[in-house]
Amino acid sequence: MGLIYALNGLYFAAFLFLTSLGLSIILGVMGILNLAHGSLYAIGGFIAAYFIGMMTGSSTILMLVTAAASAMVLSGLVGLVIETTLIKPLYKRPLEYQLLITFGILMLIEDLIKLVFGGESRYASAPFDAMGSVQIMGHTYPAYFLFVMLITAVAGMIIWWVMAKTKLGIMLRAIEMDRDMAQAMGIPMRRLTVTAFVLGAALAGLAGALVVPTTPAVMGMGMDVLIMAFIVVVIGGLGSLKGALVGSLLVGLTRSFTVAYFAELEMPLLFLIAVVILVIKPEGLFGQK
Amino acid sequence: MTKYLFSSRALAYLITLVVLLLLPQVLDPYHLNMVETGLSLAILGLGLNLLLRYAGVLSFGHGAYFAAGAYAVGLLYMYFPEHFSFELAILASLAVSALVSAIFGFVCVRHTRIFFSILTLALAMLMFAILEKAYHFTGGSDGIRIPLPTFFGMEITGMRRFQFMVGPYYYIVVGIFSAATLVMLAIVNSPFGKALQATRDNEVRAEMVGIRVKRFRWYAFVISGTFSGLAGGVWSFVSGHITPEISNWVFSGEIVYMVLLGGFMIFEGPIVGAVLFTYLRLYAVAWTEYWMLIVGGTLVVLVLLLPGGVTGGVADLVGKLRPRRAEGRG
């Protein structure tokens, strides 16, 4: 059974990675802890569940592509709107206002989702069922979980390539390292900030879209995932790609094995790890001060 | 000038107290219960604001200390029902929340800015997870029912729980709230309070003149946590039922909102904020199922347009209408 728990852990890690990456980028580049990040994930989940529900009978691939694309576009758009209208005026303001405005946005989005999609849970297990299961060393395992890991690996590699090799990524890293210097060097801060925010929002949307075939979209799903992503970012380090990866793996595997052996301990243990890391190394395992 | 300010403040306090004491004559029990909630939360807001306004650090996990106080009452009832008296319950609230905030605070005061906020949030969630998962000790997510205690050896007989809660208990809440406000006012105006503000304004300089910055911040944390615990203890009787949700970060966020709504730059701001927030939330929930849209919307508007909160806005307005009265910002 150990293998199955390890695979489950990797699956948790995969979707946590997608969610926490956006949170981490936004925190690293803009210095804002976006409490509404989980809500962008929830938007992705609900819109994906809506489309999968609409497309009953069409091919699985088409269903997943539509779900993922619509989720990324909508979450990205919402991200664009809130960044340019609500968050932009707050970069120069003290921390408490930044935290509070994203807290307010979280409440707004939560109820807007209820308003648009109704308060009920939405089930969208069609792609999960259609993919069936595979045999891995004598164990039956859902193929969809492996598919999510694959997608995450591809997305992770694209992001890594963007951050490491492209001009966009280099400029983003420059802002993260030294904001004032980056500005002095003529880096277009405003445009990059928006790009980073929309990118992070779209990734959260993708994560939400990928998760609904396994668990239904429900009200409050964003808040739960926000807390998990938050632990990942704390463990891995603010604004670090490597940190988000290691943090996700650590959280995913810890979660999977504690759920299997001491289910009661799951959340307390994760928070305890986060607190210990914060105390010893507040900037996280791979973060920089 | 300070003398004038002090006397006008004393007068305002006196009037507020008289109004509070007269409220039971005009308000129905339901609204009186809301006022009790508002006053309990006001004590919590005062506690948070000692850190935010005077020490310059934002706790996003103050629900933990509120929960510590409330659960001290709940656990006292669960495990020692024969000793369940009000005075013992409140003492337990104070002691447990002081202990918890001393431990948590010891860790938190080593950091400032975003790290402080993140750490307080994580610790509160640790507490939430423990309260929720340790089902056999804390009742888990079902929470604990808080019945009527005895008061200084007296059994409450001849009236129902609710009658007592909106009757005699109201005056107890007003009494504790008044005492807490005066104590906090004394703290922020004491040499300790001034030293705390010095650490906020310039940490290095404060250290240079001999203030032990982390030590002072830690004291402030413990005082703040103990106020929150007192609030939790008082509130647990008002509510009659406690759940781990009060340690969840969402509630901690609402506490910060409350303080900002009232205005954190003015000493009495959190009190105004707590009462306003209680009513805003009540009416939003009663009026529409989309109450978060209203609460969240007001929060966004507030942050963007009225960062000084209600009291800050009023002070600005008064300042515009007549020449400023110099250093009159308590």
Side-chain angles (χ1 to χ4, degrees):
Chain A
M1 284 317 275
L3 175 75
I4 295 299
Y5 296 146
L7 280 174
N8 279 341
L10 285 180
Y11 165 70
F12 280 142
F15 98 90
L16 269 180
F17 177 67
L18 285 181
T19 323
S20 55
L21 202 55
L23 192 67
S24 177
I25 293 176
I26 293 166
L27 190 61
V29 174
M30 289 170 258
I32 286 192
L33 180 61
N34 180 18
L35 295 176
H37 193 70
S39 311
L40 297 165
Y41 161 90
I43 290 177
F46 271 91
I47 191 79
Y50 173 77
F51 274 110
I52 292 173
M54 291 283 285
M55 295 171 68
T56 320
S58 49
S59 80
T60 311
I61 293 296
L62 189 64
M63 221 183 242
L64 282 171
V65 169
T66 319
S70 58
M72 288 180 80
V73 169
L74 189 67
S75 294
L77 265 180
V78 173
L80 180 70
V81 171
I82 59 178
E83 204 282 337
T84 47
T85 56
L86 300 178
I87 299 183
K88 188 184 147 203
L90 289 185
Y91 288 119
K92 296 252 183 296
R93 298 266 290 276
L95 166 76
E96 45 265 37
Y97 294 110
Q98 298 175 349
L99 277 176
L100 270 179
I101 198 131
T102 55
F103 186 60
I105 296 170
L106 172 147
M107 289 191 181
L108 283 178
I109 296 184
E110 196 73 10
D111 261 5
L112 283 176
I113 290 177
K114 201 191 212 176
L115 202 63
V116 174
F117 293 100
E120 315 86 46
S121 311
R122 283 181 173 260
Y123 295 83
S125 59
F128 182 83
D129 299 337
M131 283 197 185
S133 54
V134 288
Q135 291 289 320
I136 304 172
M137 297 171 78
H139 298 289
T140 320
Y141 198 71
Y144 184 79
F145 284 179
L146 298 176
F147 168 76
V148 171
M149 291 180 217
L150 183 75
I151 294 286
T152 309
V154 172
M157 264 178 306
I158 295 174
I159 299 286
W160 174 80
W161 176 77
V162 169
M163 289 305 266
K165 305 284 177 196
T166 64
K167 197 175 167 195
L168 171 70
I170 292 168
M171 288 196 287
L172 282 179
R173 282 187 292 137
I175 298 178
E176 204 185 308
M177 269 177 204
D178 192 332
R179 210 182 168 76
D180 298 333
M181 186 53 97
Q183 191 152 27
M185 300 295 281
I187 286 179
M189 302 290 276
R190 191 63 214 122
R191 218 178 66 213
L192 281 174
T193 311
V194 177
T195 313
F197 200 94
V198 172
L199 194 72
L203 280 171
L206 175 65
L210 287 174
V211 89
V212 284
T214 65
T215 48
V218 292
M219 295 309 300
M221 68 189 279
M223 298 216 193
D224 296 338
V225 85
L226 173 75
I227 284 300
M228 299 300 285
F230 177 74
I231 297 178
V232 168
V233 172
V234 162
I235 292 178
L238 317 181
S240 154
L241 187 65
K242 209 199 301 169
L245 179 64
V246 175
S248 305
L249 285 172
L250 210 66
V251 172
L253 289 170
T254 312
R255 202 181 149 185
S256 157
F257 280 95
T258 43
V259 165
Y261 295 110
F262 327 90
E264 307 276 272
L265 277 181
E266 182 211 343
M267 288 310 273
L269 187 67
L270 286 176
F271 282 111
L272 195 62
I273 296 176
V275 166
V276 169
I277 299 247
L278 272 169
V279 171
I280 305 171
K281 211 166 176 296
E283 68 277 14
L285 292 179
F286 297 95
Q288 32 186 248
K289 272 215 162 122
Chain B
M1 196 60 77
T2 23
K3 202 174 163 201
Y4 167 78
L5 266 173
F6 187 75
S7 63
S8 74
R9 172 170 272 163
L11 189 67
Y13 281 16
L14 205 64
I15 293 171
T16 314
L17 184 64
V18 170
V19 169
L20 280 177
L21 289 176
L22 289 178
L23 275 184
Q25 314 302 325
V26 287
L27 281 186
D28 57 81
Y30 178 69
H31 282 91
L32 213 54
N33 194 263
M34 291 316 292
V35 176
E36 288 178 0
T37 307
L39 291 182
S40 319
L41 293 180
I43 304 175
L44 174 61
L46 284 173
L48 181 84
N49 208 29
L50 179 68
L51 285 177
L52 180 58
R53 161 85 167 89
Y54 298 93
V57 282
L58 170 67
S59 164
F60 223 80
H62 244 51
Y65 316 108
F66 187 76
Y71 268 85
V73 175
L75 295 175
L76 181 73
Y77 169 65
M78 255 176 104
Y79 292 101
F80 306 101
E82 67 277 15
H83 297 300
F84 191 59
S85 67
F86 179 75
E87 61 280 9
L88 210 58
I90 291 298
L91 279 179
S93 295
L94 291 170
V96 172
S97 57
L99 182 71
V100 172
S101 54
I103 298 169
F104 284 10
F106 186 76
V107 174
C108 294
V109 294
R110 263 129 248 284
H111 309 289
T112 50
R113 293 175 295 129
I114 186 96
F115 293 114
F116 181 90
S117 302
I118 291 181
L119 197 51
T120 46
L121 198 165
L123 281 164
M125 287 307 286
L126 176 64
M127 177 116 153
F128 169 74
I130 293 172
L131 288 177
E132 197 179 57
K133 297 294 175 181
Y135 185 85
H136 299 290
F137 300 104
T138 64
S141 48
D142 296 343
I144 305 174
R145 191 178 61 88
I146 310 283
L148 268 187
T150 60
F151 283 82
F152 299 97
M154 286 187 302
E155 292 273 353
I156 307 302
T157 47
M159 55 171 97
R160 291 192 175 164
R161 185 179 192 288
F162 188 72
Q163 281 176 312
F164 179 78
M165 278 303 148
V166 296
Y169 192 68
Y170 174 78
Y171 297 101
I172 298 179
V173 175
V174 171
I176 293 181
F177 161 74
S178 313
T181 307
L182 292 181
V183 169
M184 186 56 92
L185 190 65
I187 290 174
V188 301
N189 287 313
S190 70
F192 168 75
K194 301 293 176 204
L196 203 59
Q197 294 176 55
T199 69
R200 173 200 64 195
D201 294 338
N202 192 329
E203 201 173 326
V204 180
R205 195 178 294 172
E207 193 86 57
M208 290 299 176
V209 298
I211 298 171
R212 301 177 69 177
V213 172
K214 280 178 188 144
R215 180 72 63 88
F216 272 58
R217 206 180 281 141
W218 185 51
Y219 293 156
F221 200 105
V222 178
I223 296 171
S224 167
T226 312
F227 266 76
S228 310
L230 175 66
V234 172
W235 173 83
S236 68
F237 294 107
V238 178
S239 146
H241 185 243
I242 55 173
T243 61
E245 290 304 315
I246 49 177
S247 188
N248 194 305
W249 71 275
V250 175
F251 181 67
S252 295
E254 287 179 356
I255 305 171
V256 182
Y257 172 20
M258 210 163 74
V259 170
L260 231 69
L261 175 67
F264 76 105
M265 290 309 286
I266 288 168
F267 176 79
E268 292 82 2
I271 302 174
V272 176
V275 176
L276 277 180
F277 179 77
T278 309
Y279 271 89
L280 173 72
R281 207 187 140 132
L282 170 77
Y283 281 106
V285 172
W287 185 54
T288 163
E289 70 172 301
Y290 302 107
W291 64 271
M292 281 211 281
L293 213 56
I294 297 179
V295 175
T298 29
L299 175 53
V300 167
V301 170
L302 189 75
V303 171
L304 289 177
L305 301 179
L306 198 64
V310 174
T311 56
V314 171
D316 281 354
L317 202 67
V318 172
K320 267 180 204 149
L321 291 182
R322 62 175 179 197
R324 262 197 107 72
R325 227 182 264 281
E327 72 290 325
R329 297 200 308 167

